[in-house]
Amino acid sequence: MAAETASVRALADATPAGRDRYADLLRVLSLGVVVLGHWLMAVVVVTDDGAREVGNLLAVVPALQVLTWVLQIMPVFFFVGGFAHALSYRSLTRRAPGRSVYADFLRARLQRLLRPTMVFVLVWAALALVIQLAGGGDGLTGVALRLVTQPLWFIGIYLAMVAFTPPLLRLHERYGWAAFGGLAVAAVAVDTARFAAGLPYAEFLNFAFVWLAIHQLGFLRADGRITRPALLAGTGLAAAAALVALGPYPLSMVGMPGEKVSNMAPPTLALLAHGLWLIGAAEVLRGPGTRFAGRARVWRGVIAANGVAMTAFLWHLTALLAVYGALLGVGAALPEPASGAWWAQTPVRLAAAAAVGTVLVAVFRRFERPAKPAPARPTATTGTGTGTGTGTGTGTGGPLAAVGITLCLLGVLGISMVGYDDLLDGKSATLIAIPVTAPTAVAAALVGWLLVERAGRRVRPAAPAA
């Protein structure tokens, strides 16, 4: 622990003066809000036939759904991702002029994402297999095997954002706000086709258009082009309110059980407007937020949290379900959701989930640490001198990386949809128009990850100097 504290302190002391610490703070806060929101929303309910099921507090108390207009904060995370991806890709291109850096970019951006994700996927696949071979998997155990994989949709969307960063960044550099506008107009067209024309499967296109539009705003931030954040926030809030009041969109900005239309899956124009409001509000607070993040103690906390953020996100539902499982296992009475007793018990449940989550992070955090870089390959030289080449060469792993990230994207999204319940029975789910099973989705994600890793290591030596 002392060594880790010293490492965090050293990283904090070595932070360049020009680093945007507020962006790092937003990343930590957004994931923290997601974790806390999931812990608060998940409730154990008793169905009409007496079975226990995991439900949603917002469905039990619909009046609380208005809170999602503040707590559905994933757009802020994806916005910060766009900002970071723009800086990372430009840095790589500056250091390797004349060379394709696509494979290097994917590997650099995804290494700390895919390693902990693949460990999570494989550990839960193995647990599900053991449970079902032993004849278990019924009741709340089956619910847990289905629910733990659902947050992986976020990983799949993030993979798509990374994959599309180079072409969309070029569009941004050429067209600026018009590039964002094109994606927003496409989202409008999709919802029109969905709700007005009833075009089947059209809605799934907004998984790309809505989230990539949010991501595109991060590029605009990187270039200092969000100059009127209050206008952005006000426009987004007014548009979201109008769409919900006048259109077919529900109040909740997260999915609700049994609803015919969800603002999240697939995302809607209302969610895009909601994202504009949140991002504008975050930018309005940029000044005080930057000063807050600049405090030494706060910055050390941000660095420490960022080092385990993905691991904590992946395992947070596991922690909560473990707490519920333990309570039911010892015969503890669970109060009626949203009752006075339930609210009184909430701090205890949250503390227990945090304790279990801390243990899981301690066990699995090693997979989020950056891998040691491979030694640089020497390049050919000519003449009688003793110099060596630059080692930048010409990247040849781009196509391999593109195949890899596509497989990862499909595999991770497939796992999030199908879950691990009924793993041995060939249960499938429809990903867009493609049926997928858990084993095929796991295989696709694993192979894709290995291809991205391999592509990022392939560098063809530069041609000898004349």
Side-chain angles (χ1 to χ4, degrees):
M1 182 64 71
E4 291 180 2
T5 301
S7 176
V8 168
R9 187 179 295 273
L11 286 172
D13 293 341
T15 302
R19 185 176 181 91
D20 192 328
R21 302 185 186 203
Y22 183 52
D24 292 289
L25 177 64
L26 285 177
R27 180 179 188 269
V28 169
L29 289 179
S30 57
L31 281 184
V33 169
V34 170
V35 169
L36 181 60
H38 284 171
W39 282 353
L40 285 171
M41 287 191 300
V43 296
V44 175
V45 297
V46 179
T47 62
D48 293 338
D49 58 1
R52 288 190 174 96
E53 178 68 86
V54 177
N56 192 317
L57 176 65
L58 302 181
V60 177
V61 188
L64 294 177
Q65 292 178 18
V66 70
L67 295 178
T68 64
W69 287 51
V70 175
L71 299 179
Q72 169 46 296
I73 203 168
M74 269 303 181
V76 175
F77 186 91
F78 291 145
F79 164 68
V80 173
F83 169 78
H85 297 157
L87 297 184
S88 176
Y89 188 75
R90 286 169 171 171
S91 175
L92 283 172
T93 55
R94 283 195 300 268
R95 285 183 289 169
R99 178 168 80 85
S100 171
V101 298
Y102 186 66
D104 305 290
F105 170 73
L106 290 188
R107 186 167 184 264
R109 298 309 298 172
L110 298 182
Q111 191 176 70
R112 290 182 62 182
L113 175 68
L114 286 181
R115 288 175 70 222
T117 299
M118 290 301 106
V119 169
F120 173 84
V121 164
L122 293 174
V123 167
W124 264 110
L127 285 174
L129 186 61
V130 169
I131 290 170
Q132 291 173 34
L133 285 175
D138 297 327
L140 279 180
T141 302
V143 173
L145 293 177
R146 182 176 74 251
L147 288 181
V148 291
T149 65
Q150 287 186 359
L152 290 177
W153 73 265
F154 150 79
I155 305 292
I157 298 299
Y158 200 78
L159 288 172
M161 291 176 172
V162 176
F164 284 105
T165 287
L168 290 180
L169 186 58
R170 286 192 290 270
L171 286 176
H172 157 75
E173 290 168 346
R174 182 170 182 178
Y175 299 109
W177 274 99
F180 163 80
L183 290 167
V185 168
V188 173
V190 167
D191 270 15
T192 301
R194 174 186 183 182
F195 295 117
L199 191 65
Y201 300 116
E203 63 267 28
F204 291 103
L205 292 172
N206 266 349
F207 274 114
F209 294 137
V210 168
W211 289 125
L212 289 178
I214 295 292
H215 189 246
Q216 202 79 7
L217 289 171
F219 299 164
L220 290 161
R221 185 188 194 275
D223 288 347
R225 300 188 66 174
I226 301 180
T227 57
R228 302 178 70 182
L231 177 62
L232 185 68
T235 301
L237 184 59
L243 288 167
V244 169
L246 304 175
Y249 305 100
L251 173 66
S252 175
M253 291 298 163
V254 301
M256 289 288 103
E259 64 185 356
K260 293 182 179 180
V261 176
S262 166
N263 280 320
M264 275 290 296
T268 64
L269 186 60
L271 185 66
L272 176 56
H274 168 72
L276 297 182
W277 128 248
L278 280 184
I279 289 165
E283 287 296 283
V284 166
L285 297 174
R286 185 171 180 176
T290 298
R291 291 190 291 273
F292 179 72
R295 298 177 182 177
R297 184 171 296 180
V298 173
W299 181 236
R300 288 195 294 269
V302 170
I303 290 176
N306 261 321
V308 298
M310 195 51 56
T311 303
F313 174 80
L314 287 166
W315 292 95
H316 77 279
L317 279 186
T318 301
L320 180 66
L321 291 169
V323 170
Y324 273 132
L327 289 172
L328 293 171
V330 299
L334 293 178
E336 184 75 17
S339 65
W342 186 90
W343 286 110
Q345 191 191 69
T346 295
V348 177
R349 288 196 312 275
L350 293 181
V356 176
T358 299
V359 173
L360 290 170
V361 167
V363 172
F364 293 106
R365 64 179 297 177
R366 70 193 69 181
F367 301 105
E368 193 171 347
R369 292 170 181 161
K372 293 181 179 180
R377 298 182 184 181
T379 57
T381 58
T382 58
T384 58
T386 58
T388 60
T390 64
T392 57
T394 302
T396 61
L400 189 65
V403 172
I405 197 167
T406 300
L407 287 173
C408 278
L409 168 64
L410 295 175
V412 169
L413 286 178
I415 296 167
S416 74
M417 294 183 68
V418 72
Y420 284 140
D421 58 319
D422 297 325
L423 181 67
L424 299 177
D425 295 333
K427 176 188 174 184
S428 66
T430 301
L431 178 59
I432 306 178
I434 306 171
V436 293
T437 64
T440 57
V442 170
L446 185 60
V447 171
W449 171 51
L450 295 175
L451 290 179
V452 170
E453 283 287 311
R454 180 175 176 82
R457 295 191 181 102
R458 291 181 59 179
V459 178
R460 187 172 66 228

